[in-house]
Amino acid sequence: MKNTIYYILFLFVTIFGYSQEKQLLKTGVIIDSVKIATAPTESYAIYFPKKYDAKTPMALVFIFDPAARGKKGIEPFILAAETYNYILVCSNTLKNGLVQNNITIANRLFDDVLQTYAIDASQLYISGFSGGARLASLFGISTGAFQGVIACGASFNGMDKFITPSNNFSYVGMVGDRDMNYQEMIENREWLDKTKIVNTLFVAHVGHAWPKPSEMLRAFDWLEIQAYRKNIRPKNDSIIKRIYDANLRIADSLKANKEMLLSVNAYEKGITSFNTNEDNILRAKITEIKKSKEYKDEIAKMKEIKVLENKIMGKLSLRFDQELKWAKSTSNLKFWKSEIEDLSIMKSDDKNLLAKNMAFRILNWFQIMVYETGQEYKRNQENDKFAYCQELYKIIKDTK
């Protein structure tokens, strides 16, 4: 990991020796694919905002998509890039796999981009979705090179939390309440607070997917405020007012819909620390909500759901491990059909939204675990266990 840190720091020394060779690329469109000079089999997609000027260093976001889809990874960021003038870069090579291999690929990407384009080294950000979010979080916590991390649908790998963090970066978590990593992202906030890393979390009513452009803009609204606080960007009062008003509208709407916890989070994101009177109004609203019976009931129900979710996942995981010891392609899958049917019924219950979302998360988590386990047995040519996993995977998929 130290080699990674030193490598990135070295890049900053050479950053302004960029080549003009690729400077004539178009603005306002995704350019896919640009080859890495030192590794022609590797490439990336790049997006220059319409106001890009090759002579003026600009902020940049490195993006990691878990399936190496450069264009797909850039699309959610375009609205934010045009609003705040960010260059966007997403690898067409880096995908879910061995961490050390991905670090090597990422370093070649950093090298090519930072030495080719006019980049402001004080405004580097890094983002990713799912496995890409874990890699982005690793670079954020270990290098000190990035001002912000935008982690979508996953947080840190467990071992990353043993790294002494570089606390100068701001961390944005983004997750759907039907995402199998939802509870992980909720718990991640506690660790971030404990390590004094400035952070926030955006929750949307979706599953495991890249955030919508409108949600991504809200994340960059929050990062813009952090940049003002750190004097990375000059404070802009009109932008501050727009961010405040947007969060106020969203929070008021959530409160009206009785989504009390999300409304508190939205009010909190409107607190900029630059306008004392308006900030105090938001703080008063938050205090009022937290005293309400609706808010306390929602917190209690969420705690109950978390306990139930962990219990069900523990039961399924234990049974799966036990059955794999003697699994055959002709195994009786009656237990699984019953369990998965129960979750499917829960998933259809519109009267209990928290339980419904939990059922989505568990089914998604279990489907992925069964699939990945099956692929491992396939590689190891353990055919009976692979066939067992295939049958179980089919039951989950058909029920979902």
Side-chain angles (χ1 to χ4, degrees):
M1 189 54 61
K2 285 185 178 180
N3 290 338
T4 303
I5 298 171
Y6 295 149
Y7 189 82
I8 292 178
L9 292 177
F10 170 75
L11 290 178
F12 291 163
V13 177
T14 62
I15 191 171
F16 294 109
Y18 59 87
S19 163
Q20 295 297 319
E21 183 179 348
K22 298 178 184 175
Q23 296 303 310
L24 300 178
L25 300 175
K26 294 180 180 179
T27 63
V29 296
I30 299 174
I31 302 164
D32 189 15
S33 304
V34 182
K35 291 184 178 180
I36 302 286
T38 57
T41 60
E42 300 175 8
S43 70
Y44 56 89
I46 191 165
Y47 181 90
F48 297 96
K50 294 172 184 176
K51 293 183 180 178
Y52 174 72
D53 174 4
K55 297 179 181 179
T56 305
M58 187 173 282
L60 179 141
V61 186
F62 285 108
I63 304 163
F64 301 144
D65 179 84
R69 303 166 298 180
K71 183 177 180 181
K72 182 75 173 179
I74 281 178
E75 287 171 346
F77 293 82
I78 290 176
L79 178 59
E82 290 294 347
T83 302
Y84 292 117
N85 291 320
Y86 283 85
I87 298 170
L88 308 173
V89 169
C90 185
S91 174
N92 285 317
T93 308
L94 192 152
K95 58 185 177 181
N96 282 356
L98 294 175
V99 173
Q100 194 56 51
N101 287 349
N102 280 334
I103 288 174
T104 301
I105 293 169
N107 278 334
R108 284 195 288 265
L109 175 69
F110 298 153
D111 192 355
D112 191 271
V113 171
L114 294 178
Q115 295 191 59
T116 302
Y117 309 105
I119 307 300
D120 183 348
S122 70
Q123 296 193 67
L124 286 180
Y125 293 77
I126 193 164
S127 180
F129 167 60
S130 194
R134 298 195 193 284
L135 186 65
S137 298
L138 169 61
F139 277 110
I141 198 172
S142 64
T143 66
F146 300 97
Q147 289 294 343
V149 173
I150 308 97
C152 309
S155 61
F156 298 90
N157 288 301
M159 292 301 295
D160 297 347
K161 294 184 178 182
F162 291 97
I163 300 171
T164 302
S166 171
N167 289 343
N168 65 327
F169 70 95
S170 304
Y171 185 96
V172 180
M174 306 186 77
V175 71
D177 54 13
R178 294 182 178 181
D179 191 320
M180 65 275 190
N181 293 325
Y182 169 76
Q183 295 291 1
E184 168 193 313
M185 295 292 280
I186 297 294
E187 293 174 359
N188 189 46
R189 290 206 68 184
E190 299 175 7
W191 180 82
L192 289 164
D193 290 340
K194 188 181 298 184
T195 52
K196 301 188 185 306
I197 295 173
V198 177
N199 70 91
T200 192
L201 178 65
F202 290 86
V203 178
H205 297 316
V206 295
H208 193 59
W210 273 110
K212 296 178 180 178
S214 57
E215 287 295 311
M216 192 63 75
L217 176 60
R218 291 190 66 206
F220 277 82
D221 286 344
W222 184 84
L223 286 170
E224 187 75 2
I225 297 300
Q226 309 317 307
Y228 297 164
R229 289 175 174 174
K230 293 189 283 187
N231 295 315
I232 298 168
R233 291 189 169 203
K235 186 163 68 74
N236 185 312
D237 290 333
S238 64
I239 290 177
I240 291 172
K241 183 66 166 60
R242 179 184 62 76
I243 293 173
Y244 172 89
D245 290 342
N247 281 293
L248 181 61
R249 285 194 302 272
I250 292 168
D252 286 345
S253 175
L254 289 167
K255 182 182 177 184
N257 290 333
K258 303 298 181 182
E259 296 185 73
M260 310 308 281
L261 184 58
L262 289 181
S263 71
V264 166
N265 289 340
Y267 284 129
E268 288 175 344
K269 291 176 179 66
I271 297 174
T272 65
S273 299
F274 297 118
N275 189 320
T276 303
N277 291 333
E278 291 179 337
D279 285 352
N280 285 340
I281 292 172
L282 295 185
R283 291 189 179 98
K285 286 177 177 286
I286 292 169
T287 300
E288 178 188 0
I289 292 172
K290 287 186 174 181
K291 289 180 180 178
S292 70
K293 182 178 183 301
E294 292 89 346
Y295 178 84
K296 293 176 181 178
D297 286 347
E298 187 176 345
I299 292 293
K301 289 177 182 176
M302 290 184 71
K303 289 180 179 178
E304 291 174 5
I305 285 292
K306 183 178 180 180
V307 171
L308 178 60
E309 189 167 352
N310 288 335
K311 181 180 178 181
I312 294 174
M313 290 172 68
K315 179 177 71 171
L316 298 183
S317 183
L318 178 61
R319 179 72 178 233
F320 185 52
D321 287 342
Q322 290 173 339
E323 292 202 356
L324 280 173
K325 294 176 182 177
W326 47 264
K328 297 180 180 179
S329 58
T330 57
S331 296
N332 187 340
L333 298 173
K334 184 178 178 180
F335 168 83
W336 294 114
K337 291 177 181 177
S338 175
E339 290 293 319
I340 292 166
E341 182 61 29
D342 287 346
L343 286 168
S344 182
I345 293 170
M346 192 182 300
K347 188 185 71 172
S348 303
D349 185 2
D350 293 329
K351 295 181 180 179
N352 190 342
L353 186 59
L354 291 178
K356 179 176 182 173
N357 291 340
M358 177 194 71
F360 270 100
R361 294 194 295 266
I362 293 174
L363 284 168
N364 289 336
W365 159 78
F366 194 52
Q367 181 178 354
I368 291 171
M369 182 173 72
V370 170
Y371 175 80
E372 291 181 347
T373 302
Q375 292 303 302
E376 183 177 351
Y377 284 127
K378 182 181 180 180
R379 287 190 293 270
N380 295 335
Q381 296 184 339
E382 297 185 58
N383 295 330
D384 281 344
K385 292 183 179 182
F386 170 59
Y388 169 82
C389 290
Q390 275 191 310
E391 287 296 318
L392 181 52
Y393 178 80
K394 187 176 184 299
I395 292 172
I396 305 167
K397 189 175 182 181
D398 290 348
T399 305
K400 283 179 65 181

Coordinates of all heavy atoms in Angstrom, one line a residue, residues 119-168:
I119 N -5.2 19.2 -15.2 CA -5.9 18.8 -14.0 C -5.4 19.6 -12.8 O -4.3 19.9 -12.6 CB -5.7 17.3 -13.7 CG1 -6.0 16.5 -14.9 CG2 -6.5 16.9 -12.5 CD1 -7.4 16.5 -15.5
D120 N -6.4 20.1 -12.0 CA -6.1 20.7 -10.7 C -5.9 19.7 -9.7 O -6.8 19.0 -9.2 CB -7.3 21.6 -10.3 CG -7.0 22.5 -9.1 OD1 -6.0 22.2 -8.4 OD2 -7.8 23.4 -8.8
A121 N -4.6 19.5 -9.3 CA -4.2 18.5 -8.3 C -4.9 18.6 -6.9 O -5.0 17.7 -6.2 CB -2.7 18.4 -8.1
S122 N -5.4 19.8 -6.6 CA -6.0 20.1 -5.3 C -7.5 19.7 -5.4 O -8.2 19.7 -4.4 CB -5.9 21.5 -4.9 OG -6.7 22.4 -5.8
Q123 N -8.0 19.3 -6.6 CA -9.4 19.0 -6.7 C -9.6 17.6 -7.4 O -10.3 17.5 -8.4 CB -10.1 20.1 -7.5 CG -10.2 21.4 -6.8 CD -11.1 22.4 -7.4 OE1 -12.4 22.2 -7.4 NE2 -10.6 23.4 -8.1
L124 N -9.0 16.6 -6.9 CA -9.1 15.2 -7.3 C -10.1 14.5 -6.5 O -10.1 14.5 -5.2 CB -7.8 14.5 -7.3 CG -6.8 14.8 -8.4 CD1 -5.5 14.0 -8.2 CD2 -7.3 14.7 -9.8
Y125 N -11.1 13.8 -7.1 CA -12.1 13.0 -6.4 C -12.1 11.6 -7.0 O -11.7 11.4 -8.1 CB -13.5 13.7 -6.6 CG -13.6 15.0 -5.9 CD1 -13.0 16.2 -6.4 CD2 -14.2 15.1 -4.6 CE1 -13.0 17.4 -5.7 CE2 -14.3 16.3 -3.9 CZ -13.7 17.5 -4.5 OH -13.7 18.7 -3.8
I126 N -12.7 10.7 -6.3 CA -12.7 9.3 -6.7 C -14.0 8.7 -6.3 O -14.5 8.9 -5.2 CB -11.5 8.5 -6.2 CG1 -11.3 7.2 -6.9 CG2 -11.6 8.3 -4.7 CD1 -9.9 6.6 -6.7
S127 N -14.6 7.9 -7.2 CA -15.9 7.3 -7.0 C -15.9 5.9 -7.6 O -15.1 5.5 -8.4 CB -17.0 8.2 -7.6 OG -18.3 7.6 -7.4
G128 N -17.0 5.2 -7.2 CA -17.2 3.8 -7.8 C -18.5 3.3 -7.3 O -19.1 3.8 -6.4
F129 N -18.9 2.2 -8.0 CA -20.2 1.5 -7.6 C -19.9 0.1 -7.3 O -19.1 -0.6 -8.0 CB -21.2 1.6 -8.8 CG -22.3 0.7 -8.7 CD1 -23.2 0.8 -7.6 CD2 -22.6 -0.3 -9.6 CE1 -24.3 -0.1 -7.4 CE2 -23.6 -1.2 -9.5 CZ -24.5 -1.1 -8.4
S130 N -20.5 -0.4 -6.2 CA -20.3 -1.8 -5.8 C -18.8 -2.1 -5.5 O -18.2 -1.4 -4.7 CB -20.9 -2.7 -6.8 OG -21.1 -4.0 -6.3
G131 N -18.3 -3.1 -6.2 CA -16.8 -3.4 -6.0 C -16.0 -2.2 -6.3 O -14.9 -2.0 -5.7
G132 N -16.4 -1.4 -7.3 CA -15.7 -0.2 -7.6 C -15.7 0.9 -6.5 O -14.7 1.6 -6.3
A133 N -16.8 0.9 -5.7 CA -16.8 1.8 -4.6 C -15.8 1.4 -3.5 O -15.2 2.2 -2.8 CB -18.2 1.8 -4.0
R134 N -15.7 0.1 -3.3 CA -14.7 -0.4 -2.3 C -13.3 0.0 -2.7 O -12.5 0.4 -1.9 CB -14.8 -2.0 -2.2 CG -16.2 -2.4 -1.7 CD -16.1 -3.9 -1.2 NE -17.5 -4.4 -1.1 CZ -18.3 -4.1 0.0 NH1 -17.9 -3.3 0.9 NH2 -19.5 -4.7 0.1
L135 N -13.0 -0.1 -4.0 CA -11.6 0.3 -4.5 C -11.4 1.8 -4.3 O -10.4 2.2 -3.9 CB -11.4 -0.2 -5.9 CG -10.0 0.1 -6.5 CD1 -9.0 -0.8 -5.7 CD2 -10.0 -0.2 -8.0
A136 N -12.4 2.5 -4.7 CA -12.3 4.0 -4.5 C -12.1 4.4 -3.1 O -11.3 5.3 -2.8 CB -13.6 4.7 -5.1
S137 N -12.9 3.7 -2.2 CA -12.7 4.0 -0.7 C -11.3 3.7 -0.3 O -10.7 4.4 0.6 CB -13.8 3.2 0.0 OG -15.1 3.6 -0.3
L138 N -10.7 2.6 -0.8 CA -9.4 2.2 -0.4 C -8.4 3.3 -0.8 O -7.5 3.7 0.0 CB -9.0 0.9 -1.1 CG -7.5 0.5 -1.0 CD1 -7.1 0.3 0.4 CD2 -7.3 -0.8 -1.8
F139 N -8.5 3.8 -2.0 CA -7.6 4.9 -2.5 C -7.8 6.1 -1.6 O -6.9 6.8 -1.3 CB -7.8 5.2 -3.9 CG -7.0 4.3 -4.9 CD1 -7.7 3.4 -5.7 CD2 -5.7 4.3 -5.0 CE1 -7.0 2.5 -6.5 CE2 -5.0 3.5 -5.8 CZ -5.6 2.6 -6.6
G140 N -9.1 6.4 -1.3 CA -9.4 7.6 -0.5 C -8.8 7.5 0.9 O -8.2 8.5 1.3
I141 N -8.9 6.4 1.5 CA -8.4 6.3 2.9 C -6.9 6.1 3.0 O -6.3 6.5 4.0 CB -9.1 5.1 3.6 CG1 -9.0 5.3 5.1 CG2 -8.6 3.8 3.2 CD1 -9.8 4.3 5.9
S142 N -6.2 5.6 2.0 CA -4.8 5.2 2.1 C -3.9 6.2 1.5 O -2.7 6.2 1.8 CB -4.6 3.9 1.4 OG -4.9 3.9 0.0
T143 N -4.3 7.1 0.6 CA -3.3 7.9 -0.2 C -3.2 9.3 0.2 O -2.2 9.9 0.0 CB -3.7 7.8 -1.7 OG1 -4.9 8.5 -1.9 CG2 -3.7 6.4 -2.2
G144 N -4.3 9.9 0.7 CA -4.3 11.4 0.9 C -4.3 12.2 -0.4 O -4.1 13.4 -0.3
A145 N -4.6 11.5 -1.5 CA -4.5 12.2 -2.8 C -5.8 12.8 -3.2 O -5.8 13.7 -4.1 CB -4.1 11.2 -3.9
F146 N -6.9 12.4 -2.6 CA -8.2 12.8 -3.0 C -9.0 13.6 -2.0 O -9.0 13.4 -0.8 CB -9.1 11.6 -3.4 CG -8.4 10.7 -4.5 CD1 -7.6 9.6 -4.1 CD2 -8.6 11.1 -5.8 CE1 -7.0 8.9 -5.1 CE2 -7.9 10.3 -6.8 CZ -7.2 9.2 -6.5
Q147 N -9.7 14.7 -2.5 CA -10.5 15.5 -1.6 C -11.8 14.9 -1.2 O -12.3 15.2 -0.2 CB -10.8 16.9 -2.3 CG -9.6 17.8 -2.5 CD -9.0 18.3 -1.1 OE1 -9.7 18.2 -0.1 NE2 -7.8 18.7 -1.1
G148 N -12.3 14.0 -2.1 CA -13.5 13.4 -1.8 C -13.7 12.0 -2.4 O -13.1 11.7 -3.4
V149 N -14.5 11.1 -1.7 CA -14.8 9.8 -2.2 C -16.4 9.8 -2.3 O -17.1 10.2 -1.4 CB -14.3 8.7 -1.2 CG1 -14.9 7.3 -1.6 CG2 -12.8 8.7 -1.1
I150 N -16.9 9.3 -3.4 CA -18.3 9.1 -3.6 C -18.5 7.6 -3.8 O -18.2 7.0 -4.8 CB -18.8 9.8 -4.8 CG1 -18.5 11.3 -4.7 CG2 -20.4 9.7 -4.9 CD1 -17.2 11.7 -5.6
A151 N -18.9 6.9 -2.7 CA -19.0 5.4 -2.7 C -20.5 5.0 -2.9 O -21.3 5.3 -2.0 CB -18.5 4.9 -1.4
C152 N -20.8 4.3 -4.0 CA -22.2 4.0 -4.3 C -22.4 2.5 -4.2 O -21.7 1.7 -4.8 CB -22.5 4.4 -5.8 SG -22.0 6.1 -6.1
G153 N -23.3 2.1 -3.3 CA -23.7 0.7 -3.2 C -22.7 -0.2 -2.5 O -22.9 -1.4 -2.4
A154 N -21.7 0.3 -1.8 CA -20.8 -0.5 -1.0 C -19.8 0.5 -0.3 O -19.6 1.6 -0.7 CB -20.0 -1.4 -1.9
S155 N -19.2 0.0 0.8 CA -18.3 0.9 1.6 C -16.9 0.3 1.5 O -16.4 0.0 0.4 CB -18.8 1.0 3.0 OG -18.8 -0.3 3.6
F156 N -16.2 0.3 2.6 CA -14.9 -0.2 2.6 C -14.8 -1.7 2.7 O -15.7 -2.4 3.2 CB -14.1 0.4 3.9 CG -14.0 1.9 3.9 CD1 -15.0 2.6 4.5 CD2 -12.9 2.5 3.3 CE1 -14.9 4.0 4.5 CE2 -12.8 3.9 3.4 CZ -13.8 4.6 3.9
N157 N -13.7 -2.3 2.2 CA -13.4 -3.7 2.6 C -13.1 -3.7 4.1 O -12.5 -2.7 4.6 CB -12.3 -4.2 1.8 CG -12.7 -4.5 0.3 OD1 -13.6 -5.3 0.1 ND2 -12.0 -3.8 -0.6
G158 N -13.3 -4.8 4.8 CA -13.0 -4.9 6.2 C -11.6 -4.5 6.6 O -11.4 -3.8 7.5
M159 N -10.6 -5.0 5.8 CA -9.2 -4.7 6.1 C -8.9 -3.3 6.0 O -7.9 -2.8 6.6 CB -8.3 -5.6 5.3 CG -8.4 -7.1 5.6 SD -8.0 -7.5 7.3 CE -6.2 -7.0 7.3
D160 N -9.6 -2.6 5.1 CA -9.3 -1.1 4.9 C -9.4 -0.3 6.1 O -8.7 0.7 6.3 CB -10.2 -0.6 3.8 CG -10.0 -1.2 2.4 OD1 -9.0 -2.0 2.3 OD2 -10.8 -1.0 1.6
K161 N -10.2 -0.7 7.0 CA -10.5 0.0 8.2 C -9.3 -0.1 9.2 O -9.4 0.6 10.3 CB -11.8 -0.4 8.9 CG -13.0 0.0 8.0 CD -14.3 -0.3 8.7 CE -15.5 0.1 7.8 NZ -16.8 -0.2 8.4
F162 N -8.4 -0.9 8.9 CA -7.2 -1.0 9.8 C -6.1 0.0 9.3 O -5.0 0.1 9.9 CB -6.6 -2.4 9.8 CG -7.5 -3.4 10.6 CD1 -8.4 -4.2 10.0 CD2 -7.5 -3.4 12.0 CE1 -9.3 -5.0 10.6 CE2 -8.3 -4.3 12.7 CZ -9.2 -5.1 12.0
I163 N -6.3 0.6 8.1 CA -5.3 1.6 7.6 C -5.5 2.9 8.3 O -6.7 3.3 8.6 CB -5.6 1.8 6.1 CG1 -5.4 0.5 5.3 CG2 -4.6 2.9 5.6 CD1 -5.8 0.6 3.9
T164 N -4.4 3.5 8.7 CA -4.5 4.8 9.4 C -5.1 5.8 8.3 O -4.5 6.0 7.3 CB -3.2 5.3 9.9 OG1 -2.6 4.4 10.8 CG2 -3.3 6.7 10.5
P165 N -6.3 6.3 8.6 CA -7.0 7.1 7.5 C -6.3 8.5 7.3 O -5.8 9.1 8.2 CB -8.4 7.3 8.1 CG -8.3 7.2 9.6 CD -7.1 6.2 9.8
S166 N -6.4 8.9 6.1 CA -6.0 10.3 5.7 C -7.3 11.1 5.9 O -8.2 11.0 5.0 CB -5.5 10.4 4.3 OG -5.4 11.7 3.9
N167 N -7.5 11.9 6.9 CA -8.7 12.5 7.3 C -9.1 13.7 6.5 O -10.1 14.4 6.8 CB -8.8 12.8 8.8 CG -8.9 11.5 9.6 OD1 -9.2 10.5 9.1 ND2 -8.6 11.6 10.9
N168 N -8.3 14.1 5.5 CA -8.5 15.4 4.8 C -9.6 15.2 3.7 O -10.0 16.2 3.1 CB -7.3 15.9 4.2 CG -6.7 15.0 3.1 OD1 -6.8 13.8 3.2 ND2 -6.1 15.6 2.1

